[in-house]
Amino acid sequence: MEPQQSLESLARELAALPPSLGPVRVIGVDGHAGSGKSTFAERLAAALGGAPVLHLDDVATHEELFGWQGRLRAQVLEPLAAGRAARWAPYDWVERRFGPERVLEPAPVLIVEGVGAGRRELRPHLARLLWMETPRETSWGRGRNRDGRELSGFWDGWERAELAHFSDDPSRPFADTLVHQSGTGYEWTSGASVTPGTAPSVTGCHGLPQA
């Protein structure tokens, strides 16, 4: 590993993959809530020259924390598969309603980040699945600290829902790449080659991680 090697090497690798959904290479970034998915996805998008990022928080709702796959398929996946622009209305978590419609034109690479980005309904459409290798309790602790005491009730419900989701539909076993956070930034390893109890072989790092 070269010290402070940037994410550009990973970006080049992803951009060279065959399209997985019409003309688009869909990159999934999954992990526990609070594991740093959004920050990593935005930095990877910048390394890809400004690739669009679809946050699954914009697709989920209070009533459908994980029951959003049909909406994502109809509004985003099917149009992009046909080479058309996707149109969806992001959910407003404060107003508890869907906001103004947004348009996503087919792009060479689309990053889809959020808990459940590697679920079984999405995996056939992914060019690569990345998993944020942050322990569950650490991730949840970050999320609770970030959101404050006023959202502790929401987090209680979320933790139960996330446990049920990953119990029925785990993503990590299918991850192509495991993303680790360290004091010096991000490091990634091959998901297929990593077995529990073995030291991972680092292939890259970048920047300082954020929760």
Side-chain angles (χ1 to χ4, degrees):
M1 179 186 69
E2 297 179 6
Q4 297 303 310
Q5 180 181 343
S6 73
L7 281 173
E8 273 71 20
S9 60
L10 178 59
R12 287 193 298 270
E13 179 182 339
L14 298 177
L17 294 171
S20 59
L21 184 69
V24 183
R25 298 153 183 83
V26 182
I27 307 301
V29 178
D30 205 338
H32 299 291
S35 61
K37 298 180 299 299
S38 296
T39 299
F40 177 77
E42 294 294 346
R43 293 183 177 183
L44 179 59
L48 284 161
V53 179
L54 176 65
H55 303 282
L56 291 177
D57 283 350
D58 289 342
V59 182
T61 70
H62 283 90
E63 292 73 29
E64 296 176 314
L65 295 178
F66 291 99
W68 41 257
Q69 62 268 34
R71 183 162 51 252
L72 180 69
R73 180 175 61 251
Q75 297 181 355
V76 178
L77 301 181
E78 291 178 355
L80 292 180
R84 304 193 311 269
R87 299 176 183 274
W88 86 102
Y91 183 69
D92 188 320
W93 288 86
V94 176
E95 298 294 331
R96 290 177 173 258
R97 60 181 174 82
F98 291 101
E101 183 181 79
R102 294 184 185 177
V103 178
L104 174 64
E105 298 289 343
V109 180
L110 167 65
I111 300 174
V112 176
E113 76 83 16
V115 182
R119 66 191 308 168
R120 64 174 64 94
E121 291 92 344
L122 297 188
R123 287 196 295 270
H125 308 296
L126 300 180
R128 181 71 59 86
L129 174 59
L130 283 65
W131 173 267
M132 301 300 294
E133 189 73 340
T134 305
R136 182 178 65 205
E137 296 302 329
T138 300
S139 299
W140 287 354
R142 288 180 183 176
R144 284 182 177 271
N145 290 336
R146 177 192 64 204
D147 293 341
R149 184 174 300 175
E150 62 274 14
L151 290 180
S152 61
F154 173 82
W155 269 94
D156 290 343
W158 171 269
E159 290 178 2
R160 290 191 296 269
E162 185 182 303
L163 279 173
H165 169 71
F166 280 135
S167 176
D168 175 67
D169 191 358
S171 296
R172 188 185 183 280
F174 301 94
D176 305 290
T177 303
L178 304 180
V179 180
H180 309 255
Q181 294 184 4
S182 68
T184 57
Y186 297 106
E187 303 171 350
W188 52 93
T189 64
S190 169
S193 66
V194 174
T195 57
T198 63
S201 57
V202 177
T203 57
C205 62
H206 174 265
L208 293 176
Q210 299 178 8

